[in-house]
């Protein structure tokens, strides 16, 4: 019992060490669990939402639409739980200018169900549910009416699926019809599209621009009122995925097995079958056209034959009359009147030659008969020409049918192809990567500080330990006094750290996340396993340090332990050997120098602890500086143009005329901009059409006219880059990079995420969904957005293949140069404010789809989520620095009580004692700061390189002010600690402190 009481008394006396260990553990566990828990809560709530709304696991698109046969084939694939055929149609409407929307049929099989936020779901024809983004932009509300106009290419299938029949009509086949939706609409509900969780009222980086194939909004309509048997897509749910997290690798593997089966069997068969259907439909049209033409020609021939027969009968009557009259006249001149009478009673028989001669004579003698015969002959000639022409046309159609119908292509996509899903996943993964890295530094600092504190604690009880061992107590029992002390401090600190880590920090992060994404059903959850392991990690580290300190002392005999520890032998320091310097240092300066450099463990622990804390602060500020300068570097330095204007293909000419007539442009470059994908060649089957894999990135494909390739450098800063270390990259000379016809120039942001470099082969997908393998000629410095620049000639070479020629909007070999330049890069006159206002005014024009001012983008770009995390990290690092400095200062004082007492006996005033002790701590703090500043840049570079986010490249930059802030903050903490240490120095009693241990 006495042993236990003494142990508790010792614990109470060492309450400062207890608080230090507990605080370090609290901060470490909070960092370890907090960021992880916040991301995990977001992952889990999003996964639950996706499961509840039935977000598809796989989506199948086709360049020729999907038929009932395609849907039936997908249902038979092993591993597919549900298949839902979907119909959609692109429409336009007037909303402060021409806007586009996708009319999406609400599926009846429970897949991709919109989440109702307000009102009710549409049930009748003409009713729709819209997104909150549309409500915000349009000012409409539930009950408002809207009239839309179907686009000429109302869906992806209507362009690629139509086959021109022989009669010139534009139909798919005898039964398949493109989807058609009602045009007079009534808003009855506001919904959240599960495919896009972006918060319309929150932060949204405009890093890409829409191509002609995208729309501004999505309207959800019921099946009632929707016509058409051709489907725009098919969405699938895979068996077993509901029980897995959509963000885990196991989920991706499960889905990949099904997509591989579709790619391996169903896809190829159905592509061929669908093309055969189109060929069969085309052949049927030709056969029907031939039969119809033959019938018409037969009817016309019958009419001509009937008219000719009537004409011949009329001529034959005249011939007979003339022949009879001639016979009667001959008989009258004869002698036998009876013979004459007999002759007059019958028509004389004429041979065919005589009759034909008489016919020609009669027709020639009569203008009316001549005209009638000419009309009959002309009608027959025209009919023969029509028959020959029609037959030739039909034969030509038969020959052209196979080449006029494209090779049907399927595109099998998973959730990664959804822009909202991939952006959310990438944001959370990047933040989580920071949460995995920073606790390592906290753990190292915790072990160092625990070793310092516990070693001093054991050393202070040296004589007591010797006494207990001499009385027969086991070394393990004696060591348990310190092990239990450290364990209890870790458990209390860890418990508080779990509260902060699973409640405080996640609540802070989720507030920021909800400003970026809409996450219904979000709640905080506790992970027992991860939380327990988090505490265990710090318990093991601190206990290991404590055991080491105990073993170092207890290896001696009890007699040695009960005697005071012999002072360290005097030794010279390096500075003493430099006589010119050493001789000019005062007495107290020499004492300070000896105290600093003779006690190596104290030097290493103090400098290392301060350096670690300073490095964490610098690291956080480095990330903040890097993110803060992204917009300025991209939109002021890299993009040299002031305005980007994008239009629909049909409005491109009107857009350019409008911009030119305003007189604001000083120079411009017409380009074509399309939204596409870039996939690393070899990451998947190049011909599979599969997008959205882990080696895929959404891009902005920019085609440049072949006559203006050199002008691109005037609008965009072209600088070749190469990967560096520590978050750096080698940047070439401005203007040394040229766009040519041998390859594409890929943005650094995409190249870094996919590991692409000059000479690599990549798979490009253009705005029409056509894929081609391209060579990367160079990687260009680019921080925001993933631009891929391609020349007009190389674009035609890539996408004007046999398949591409037969895809919608593609050009034939004769007019492949006639790309529609649907965008303009322009330099403007005027101030930044006037340029921003001009861009806003352009968006109100019906010919403009999007107008973006670089001045506005540079001023408005921000990254709220990263800024919040950086603020959190800097705050925690500052707290750690304060605790570390407090622990080291108290340990330093406890080690030197007799020395301080001696100084007081020698006549030092309290202020002089403060200066004597604090000067050493300040010098050690300065040394730690000097070491921590470059260390922070090093760690910041490595962490920033790990943040591979879509369309963003973090070009690490640490401003001088950040180094100053980190240094000043650390020094301020050191001064603050002095306020707590000085009273301890004042309470040192010289008499009791200098008593002999014996």
């Amino acid at each position: 019992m006495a042993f236990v009481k003494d142990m508790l008394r010792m614990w109470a006396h060492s309450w400062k060490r207890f608080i230090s260990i507990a605080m370090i553990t609290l901060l470490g566990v909070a960092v370890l669990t907090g960021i992880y828990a916040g991301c995990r809560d977001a992952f889990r709530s999003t996964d639950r939402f996706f499961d509840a709304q039935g977000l598809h696991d796989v989506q199948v698109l086709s360049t020729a639409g999907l038929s009932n046969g395609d849907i039936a084939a997908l249902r038979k694939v092993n591993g597919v739980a549900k298949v839902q055929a979907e119909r959609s149609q692109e429409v336009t409407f007037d909303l402060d200018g021409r806007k586009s929307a996708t009319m999406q049929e609400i599926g009846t099989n429970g897949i991709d169900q919109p989440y109702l936020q307000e009102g009710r779901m549409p049930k009748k024809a003409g009713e729709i549910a819209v997104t909150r983004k549309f409500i915000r932009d349009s000012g409409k509300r539930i009950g408002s009416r809207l009239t839309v106009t179907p686009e000429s290419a109302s869906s992806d299938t209507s362009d690629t699926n139509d086959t021109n029949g022989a009669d010139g009509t534009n139909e798919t086949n005898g039964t398949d019809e493109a989807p058609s939706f009602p045009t007079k609409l009534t808003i009855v509900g506001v919904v959240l599209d599960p495919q896009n969780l972006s918060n319309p009222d929150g932060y949204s980086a405009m890093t890409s621009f829409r191509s002609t194939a995208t729309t501004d909004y999505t309207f959800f309509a019921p099946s009632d009122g929707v016509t058409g048997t051709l489907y725009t897509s098919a969405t699938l749910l895979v068996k077993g995925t509901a029980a897995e997290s959509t963000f885990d690798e196991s989920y991706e593997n499960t889905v990949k097995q099904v997509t591989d089966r579709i790619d391996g069997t169903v896809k190829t068969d159905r592509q061929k079958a669908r093309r055969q259907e189109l060929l069969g439909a085309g052949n049927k049209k030709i056969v029907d056209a031939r039969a119809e033409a033959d019938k018409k020609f037969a009817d016309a021939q019958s009419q001509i034959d009937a008219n000719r027969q009537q004409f011949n009968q009329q001529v034959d009557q005249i011939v007979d009359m003339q022949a009879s009259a001639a016979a009667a006249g001959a008989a009258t001149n004869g002698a036998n009147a009876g013979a004459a009478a007999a002759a007059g009673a019958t028509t004389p028989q004429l041979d065919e030659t005589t009759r034909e001669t008489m016919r020609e004579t009669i027709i020639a003698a009569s203008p009316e008969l001549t005209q009638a015969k000419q009309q009959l002959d002309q009608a027959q000639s025209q009919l023969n020409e029509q028959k020959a022409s029609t037959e030739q046309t039909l034969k030509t159609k038969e020959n052209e049918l196979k080449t006029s119908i494209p090779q049907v292509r399927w595109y099998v996509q998973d959730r990664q192809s959804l822009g909202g899903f991939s952006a959310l996943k990438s944001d959370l993964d990047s933040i989580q990567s920071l949460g995995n890295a920073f606790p390592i530094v906290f753990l190292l600092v915790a072990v160092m500080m625990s070793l310092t504190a516990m070693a001093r604690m054991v050393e202070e009880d040296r004589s007591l330990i010797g006494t207990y061992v001499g009385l027969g107590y086991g070394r393990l029992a004696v060591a348990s006094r310190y092990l239990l002390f450290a364990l209890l401090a870790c458990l209390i600190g860890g418990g508080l750290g779990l509260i902060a880590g699973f409640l405080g920090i996640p609540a802070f992060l989720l507030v920021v996340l909800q400003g970026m994404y809409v996450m219904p059903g979000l709640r905080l959850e506790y992970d027992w396993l991860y939380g327990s392991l988090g505490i265990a990690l710090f318990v093991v580290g601190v206990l290991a340090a404590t055991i080491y300190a105990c073993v170092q002392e207890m290896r001696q005999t009890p007699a040695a332990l009960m005697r005071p520890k012999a002072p360290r032998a005097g030794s010279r320091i390096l500075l003493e050997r430099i006589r010119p310097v050493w001789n000019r240092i005062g007495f107290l300066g020499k004492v300070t120098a000896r105290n600093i450099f003779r006690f190596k463990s104290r030097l290493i622990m103090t400098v290392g602890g301060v350096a670690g804390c300073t490095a964490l602060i610098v690291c956080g500020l480095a990330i903040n500086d890097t993110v803060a300068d992204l917009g300025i570097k991209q939109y002021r330095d890299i993009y040299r143009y002031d305005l980007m204007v994008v239009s629909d293909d049909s409005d491109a000419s009107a857009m350019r005329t409008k911009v030119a007539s305003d007189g604001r442009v000083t120079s411009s470059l017409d380009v074509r901009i399309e939204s596409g994908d870039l996939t690393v060649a070899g990451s998947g089957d190049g011909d599979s059409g599969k997008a959205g894999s882990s080696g895929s990135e959404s891009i902005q494909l920019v085609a440049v006219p072949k006559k203006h390739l050199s002008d691109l450098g005037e609008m965009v800063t072209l600088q070749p880059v190469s990967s560096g270390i520590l978050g750096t990259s080698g940047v070439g000379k401005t203007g040394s990079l040229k766009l040519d016809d041998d390859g594409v120039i890929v943005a650094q942001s995409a190249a870094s995420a996919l590991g692409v470099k000059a000479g690599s082969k990549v798979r490009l997908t253009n705005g029409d969904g056509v894929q081609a393998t391209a060579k990367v000629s160079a990687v260009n410095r680019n921080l925001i957005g993933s631009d891929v620049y391609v020349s007009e000639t190389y674009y035609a070479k890539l996408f004007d293949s046999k398949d591409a020629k037969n895809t919608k909007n593609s050009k034939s070999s004769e007019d492949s140069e006639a790309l529609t330049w649907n965008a303009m890069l322009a330099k403007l006159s005027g101030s930044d404010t006037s340029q921003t206002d001009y861009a806003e005014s352009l968006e109100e024009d019906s010919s403009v789809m999007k107008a973006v001012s670089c001045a506005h983008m540079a001023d408005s770009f921000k990254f709220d989520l990263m800024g919040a995390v950086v603020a959190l990290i800097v705050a925690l690092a500052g707290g750690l620095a304060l605790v570390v400095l407090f622990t080291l200062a108290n340990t330093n004082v406890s080690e030197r009580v007799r020395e301080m007492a001696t100084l007081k006996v020698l006549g030092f005033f309290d202020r002089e004692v403060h200066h004597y002790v604090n000067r050493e701590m300040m010098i050690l703090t300065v040394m730690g700061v000097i070491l921590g500043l470059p260390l922070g840049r090093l760690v910041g570079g490595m962490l920033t390189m790990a943040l591979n986010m879509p369309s963003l490249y973090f070009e690490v930059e640490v401003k001088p002010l950040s180094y100053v802030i980190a240094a000043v903050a650390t020094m301020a903490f050191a001064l603050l600690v002095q306020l707590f240490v000085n009273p301890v120095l004042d309470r040192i009693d010289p008499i009791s402190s200098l008593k002999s241990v014996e």
Side-chain angles (χ1 to χ4, degrees):
M1 181 61 67
F3 180 82
V4 175
K5 288 183 179 179
D6 184 63
M7 179 176 66
L8 295 177
R9 190 180 300 111
M10 182 267 293
W11 288 5
H13 178 71
S14 303
W15 64 273
K16 294 180 181 178
R17 293 191 181 96
F18 188 92
I19 292 177
S20 297
I21 296 175
M23 286 299 298
I24 292 176
T25 306
L26 185 155
L27 292 173
V29 172
V31 172
L32 178 64
T33 59
I35 298 178
Y36 160 81
C39 295
R40 174 178 171 271
D41 292 339
F43 278 138
R44 286 197 169 187
S45 64
T46 306
D47 183 62
R48 287 192 299 268
F49 176 74
F50 287 158
D51 290 340
Q53 304 309 123
L55 181 65
H56 67 263
D57 297 314
V58 179
Q59 184 181 44
V60 178
L61 303 171
S62 172
T63 57
L66 298 172
S67 64
N68 289 322
D70 297 327
I71 304 301
L74 289 172
R75 287 195 175 99
K76 297 178 182 178
V77 176
N78 184 25
V80 173
K82 286 184 179 181
V83 177
Q84 179 174 286
E86 297 186 345
R87 295 177 291 186
S88 64
Q89 182 183 32
E90 291 184 11
V91 298
T92 58
F93 57 94
D94 182 55
L95 180 64
D96 296 330
R98 183 174 177 271
K99 298 293 184 181
S100 61
T102 298
M103 296 289 296
Q104 180 67 49
E105 179 186 15
I106 300 176
T108 58
N109 207 16
I111 302 179
D112 289 344
Q113 298 297 298
Y115 176 78
L116 183 63
Q117 295 178 302
E118 186 179 348
R120 64 176 177 84
M121 296 298 291
K123 298 179 180 179
K124 301 178 182 179
E127 295 181 343
I128 61 169
V130 299
T131 60
R132 192 165 297 281
K133 179 177 183 292
F134 175 77
I135 294 294
R136 184 200 65 181
D137 294 346
S138 65
K140 296 183 180 295
R141 60 182 186 273
I142 294 178
S144 298
R145 298 182 182 277
L146 181 69
T147 301
V148 299
T149 303
E151 289 190 355
S152 57
S154 57
S155 72
D156 286 343
T157 61
S158 61
D159 287 333
T160 62
N161 189 43
D162 294 348
T163 304
N164 292 329
D167 57 353
T169 61
N170 230 10
E171 300 175 356
T172 55
N173 56 40
T175 58
D176 290 338
E177 296 178 0
S180 178
F181 287 71
T183 57
K184 297 185 179 298
L185 310 174
T186 302
I187 301 174
V188 298
V190 180
V191 297
L192 173 65
D193 186 356
Q195 299 187 29
N196 185 7
L197 301 183
S198 298
N199 188 346
D201 300 318
Y203 165 75
S204 178
M206 299 171 58
T207 57
S208 61
F209 303 94
R210 297 179 180 91
S211 72
T212 56
T214 62
T215 56
D216 299 300
Y217 308 101
T218 300
F219 299 158
F220 295 91
S223 299
D224 186 20
V226 182
T227 61
T229 57
L230 197 66
Y231 306 110
T232 54
S233 66
T235 52
L236 290 70
L237 292 182
V238 177
K239 293 180 180 178
T241 54
E244 299 175 346
S245 173
T246 184
F247 302 99
D248 290 345
E249 186 177 354
S250 59
Y251 166 83
E252 296 178 359
N253 294 334
T254 302
V255 173
K256 187 176 185 301
Q257 292 177 2
V258 174
T259 56
D260 288 344
R261 293 189 189 109
I262 296 175
D263 287 333
T265 56
V266 179
K267 174 181 170 180
T268 303
D269 294 341
R270 291 309 306 172
Q271 285 179 163
K272 294 179 180 178
R274 181 60 180 155
R275 188 166 189 269
Q276 286 302 123
E277 290 177 4
L278 297 177
L279 287 173
N283 286 324
K284 184 176 182 302
K285 290 176 183 178
I286 293 175
V287 171
D288 293 344
R290 178 178 278 111
E292 183 179 358
D294 289 344
K295 183 177 181 302
K296 291 179 179 179
F297 292 150
D299 292 342
Q301 186 65 55
S302 299
Q303 183 66 35
I304 292 174
D305 291 343
N307 292 336
R308 188 176 294 280
Q309 182 179 4
Q310 183 179 0
F311 175 80
N312 289 337
Q313 289 176 354
Q314 183 179 356
V315 174
D316 287 342
Q317 288 178 0
I318 297 174
V319 170
D320 291 341
M321 291 175 59
Q322 290 183 358
S324 299
T332 301
N333 296 328
N336 192 344
T346 62
T347 300
Q349 297 296 325
L350 300 175
D351 60 80
E352 190 61 29
T353 302
T354 303
R355 180 177 291 276
E356 186 61 31
T357 302
M358 293 182 66
R359 288 174 181 165
E360 293 177 356
T361 303
I362 292 171
I363 292 172
S366 172
E368 293 81 0
L369 292 178
T370 300
Q371 183 178 3
K373 185 175 184 301
Q374 289 176 350
Q375 290 177 348
L376 286 173
D377 292 341
Q378 183 177 1
Q380 184 65 52
S381 176
Q382 291 177 350
L383 179 60
N384 292 338
E385 290 179 359
Q386 289 179 1
K387 289 173 67 176
S389 175
T390 300
E391 184 62 25
Q392 182 63 35
T393 299
L394 292 175
K395 288 182 177 180
T396 302
K397 290 290 184 183
E398 288 178 340
N399 295 332
E400 294 178 350
L401 182 60
K402 290 185 178 182
T403 57
S404 63
I405 294 181
Q407 296 289 338
V408 177
R409 298 177 65 86
W410 273 24
Y411 297 97
V412 184
Q413 302 175 336
D414 55 22
R415 289 182 181 177
Q416 292 288 344
S417 64
L418 302 177
F421 174 87
S422 60
L424 172 63
K425 183 176 185 298
S426 180
D427 283 348
L428 294 178
D429 283 343
S430 298
I431 300 306
Q432 197 168 31
S433 66
L434 293 179
N436 295 334
F438 275 96
I440 297 176
V441 180
F442 278 76
L443 179 60
L444 293 176
V445 174
V447 172
M448 292 173 61
M449 294 304 101
S450 300
L451 180 60
T452 301
M454 296 310 298
R456 180 55 194 166
M457 185 176 181
V458 173
E459 186 177 340
E460 286 180 352
D461 290 345
R462 174 186 176 87
S463 60
L464 185 59
I465 293 173
T467 301
Y468 277 125
V469 175
L471 291 175
Y473 285 90
R475 282 178 164 79
L476 179 60
V478 177
S480 64
R481 293 159 48 92
Y482 311 101
L483 294 175
L484 292 176
F485 176 86
L487 177 62
L488 183 61
C490 285
L491 292 178
I492 293 177
L496 295 175
L498 291 180
I499 295 176
F502 283 97
L503 293 178
I505 295 177
F508 169 74
L509 289 178
L510 294 180
V511 168
V512 180
L513 277 172
Q514 286 179 314
M516 300 175 62
Y517 302 99
V518 180
M519 300 179 179
L522 185 61
R523 64 174 183 261
L524 302 179
E525 300 182 29
Y526 180 70
D527 187 338
W528 288 96
L529 178 60
Y530 195 86
S532 301
L533 291 177
I535 293 181
L537 184 63
F538 281 84
V539 166
V540 170
V542 173
L543 288 184
T546 305
I547 291 173
Y548 176 79
C550 292
V551 170
Q552 288 296 103
E553 289 294 335
M554 294 184 186
R555 67 173 57 181
Q556 303 179 44
T557 63
L561 289 172
M562 285 186 284
R563 289 195 300 269
K565 191 174 183 180
R568 292 194 54 173
S571 61
R572 290 176 177 271
I573 62 174
L574 179 62
L575 190 59
E576 292 185 52
R577 304 181 187 278
I578 308 177
R579 305 308 297 180
V581 176
W582 184 255
N583 291 335
R584 287 172 173 79
I585 299 177
F587 171 75
L588 291 181
K590 293 178 179 179
V591 173
T592 300
R594 286 196 179 103
N595 287 336
I596 290 175
F597 293 106
R598 284 183 61 209
F599 299 96
K600 301 294 192 303
S601 60
R602 184 197 307 167
L603 172 66
I604 293 174
M605 291 298 178
T606 305
V607 174
V610 173
C613 297
T614 305
L616 286 177
I617 297 175
V618 173
C619 182
L621 295 175
I623 298 175
N624 182 70
D625 291 343
T626 299
V627 173
D629 282 350
L630 282 178
I632 296 175
K633 289 181 178 179
Q634 181 68 36
Y635 298 108
R636 298 285 189 188
D637 300 338
I638 298 177
Y639 287 165
R640 302 173 67 179
Y641 58 83
D642 300 316
L643 176 72
M644 171 182 281
V645 189
V646 184
S647 72
D648 193 13
D649 279 1
S650 58
D651 298 325
S653 178
M655 177 269 292
R656 286 193 292 272
T657 301
K658 164 66 178 173
V659 175
S661 64
D662 291 337
R664 295 291 305 276
V665 175
T666 58
S667 62
S668 65
L669 174 65
D670 294 335
V671 296
R672 177 168 183 83
I673 293 181
E674 300 176 350
S675 294
D677 290 301
L678 183 147
T679 305
V680 178
S683 64
D685 184 1
D687 299 323
S688 66
K690 182 177 180 180
S693 63
S694 59
S696 179
E697 189 88 5
S698 296
I699 63 168
Q700 182 172 276
L701 188 62
V702 182
V704 182
K706 57 185 177 182
K707 296 181 180 179
H708 300 283
L709 295 181
S710 59
D711 296 338
L712 179 62
E714 298 296 323
M715 297 295 171
V716 179
T717 300
L718 299 178
Q719 289 179 275
V721 295
S722 57
S723 299
I725 60 173
L726 310 181
T728 63
S729 57
V731 181
K733 182 180 178 182
T734 301
S736 61
L737 183 59
K738 301 292 184 182
L739 180 63
D740 53 34
D741 299 332
D742 295 330
V744 299
I745 297 177
V746 178
Q748 184 180 13
S749 47
S752 175
L754 300 178
V756 173
K757 58 183 180 180
S760 300
K761 296 288 186 180
V762 296
R763 192 75 171 170
L764 289 179
T765 304
N766 70 354
D768 297 327
V770 180
Q771 295 185 340
T773 300
K775 175 187 175 183
V776 178
S777 60
V779 175
N780 183 49
R781 178 172 177 256
N782 197 85
L783 308 180
I784 302 175
S786 296
D787 298 332
V788 175
Y789 299 101
V790 57
S791 68
E792 178 185 3
T793 303
Y794 196 58
Y795 182 98
K797 179 180 178 182
L798 292 176
F799 300 113
D800 282 355
S801 61
K802 180 178 181 180
D803 291 342
K805 291 174 186 177
N806 296 310
T807 306
K808 66 173 185 177
N809 296 335
S810 61
K811 315 299 179 208
S812 64
S813 58
E814 289 80 6
D815 61 352
S816 60
E817 70 278 0
L819 278 175
T820 300
W821 308 113
N822 67 337
M824 174 189 291
L825 309 179
K827 293 184 178 181
L828 302 177
S829 59
S831 64
D832 290 349
T833 302
S834 64
Q835 292 176 9
T836 301
D837 295 340
Y838 178 60
E840 292 176 352
S841 66
L842 279 179
E843 286 201 323
E844 299 177 0
D845 191 90
S846 60
S847 64
V848 176
M849 179 181 293
K850 195 69 181 176
V852 178
S853 167
C854 286
H856 173 70
M857 294 300 298
D859 295 337
S860 62
F861 181 86
K862 58 182 179 178
F863 200 170
D864 293 339
L865 179 59
M866 188 63 70
V869 174
V870 167
L872 177 64
I873 290 173
V874 172
L876 292 173
L880 180 64
L882 185 61
V883 174
V884 166
L885 289 170
F886 179 80
T887 302
L888 293 172
N890 277 281
T891 302
N892 183 38
V893 171
S894 66
E895 287 178 343
R896 305 168 64 184
V897 171
R898 292 176 65 86
E899 182 183 352
M900 299 301 106
T902 302
L903 292 176
K904 289 189 174 186
V905 170
L906 292 175
F908 279 66
F909 293 103
D910 287 344
R911 188 176 61 180
E912 293 175 326
V913 174
H914 297 169
H915 180 69
Y916 177 80
V917 175
N918 294 333
R919 182 168 56 177
E920 294 180 16
M921 284 301 302
M922 292 303 294
I923 292 175
L924 291 173
T925 301
V926 170
M927 295 171 64
V929 169
I930 294 174
L931 179 62
L933 294 179
L935 181 63
R937 173 62 179 82
L938 174 67
V939 176
M942 291 188 294
L943 284 179
T944 307
M945 288 179 65
L947 298 178
N948 288 328
M949 305 183 70
S951 302
L952 286 177
Y953 177 80
F954 294 96
E955 191 175 71
V956 182
E957 177 173 339
V958 186
K959 296 180 179 178
L961 180 61
S962 296
Y963 288 119
V964 173
I965 292 175
V968 170
T970 306
M971 299 303 295
F973 291 141
L975 293 175
L976 180 62
V977 168
Q978 291 181 13
L979 298 179
F980 294 99
V981 174
N982 290 340
V984 177
L985 295 174
D986 295 340
R987 289 194 296 267
I988 294 177
D989 183 14
I991 297 176
S992 61
S993 300
L994 292 175
K995 283 182 179 179
S996 175
V997 178
E998 286 82 12

